[in-house]
């Protein structure tokens, strides 16, 4: 929704950082979902394991940077 509001799509994402609780336990599932959303594989990706996030029920936080391409 945020990308769409800015006139962007997942194709415009150039950098992604993900923060994971229990990284080893959930990484394969997250990677499979990420590969469906970003099939071209051109987005830089940094993965960080953390002990907890702001909300105790969360397992992952995703931060993306997108560049709106000129038509």
């Amino acid at each position: 929704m945020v990308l769409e509001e800015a006139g962007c799509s997942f194709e415009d994402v150039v950098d992604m950082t993900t923060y994971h609780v229990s990284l080893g336990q959930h990484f394969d599932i997250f990677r499979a979902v990420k590969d469906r959303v970003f099939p071209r594989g051109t987005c830089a990706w940094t993965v960080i394991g953390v002990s907890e996030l702001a909300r105790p029920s969360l397992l992952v936080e995703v931060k993306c940077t997108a560049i709106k391409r000129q038509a």
Side-chain angles (χ1 to χ4, degrees):
M1 292 184 318
V2 174
L3 289 170
E4 187 176 308
E5 186 67 27
C8 295
S9 71
F10 284 109
E11 290 293 319
D12 299 306
V13 173
V14 295
D15 182 66
M16 178 172 59
T17 302
T18 56
Y19 303 87
H20 302 259
V21 176
S22 302
L23 175 61
Q25 183 179 355
H26 304 281
F27 184 73
D28 290 339
I29 294 168
F30 186 85
R31 172 176 245 154
V33 172
K34 180 200 90 57
D35 288 347
R36 274 188 298 173
V37 175
F38 299 96
R40 58 186 166 70
T42 58
C43 173
W45 181 26
T46 301
V47 179
I48 302 170
V50 297
S51 61
E52 61 185 337
L53 294 167
R55 287 189 159 156
S57 61
L58 297 178
L59 295 176
V60 66
E61 181 175 320
V62 179
K63 176 185 158 197
C64 290
T65 302
I67 296 176
K68 187 173 182 178
R69 301 182 198 279
Q70 300 299 320

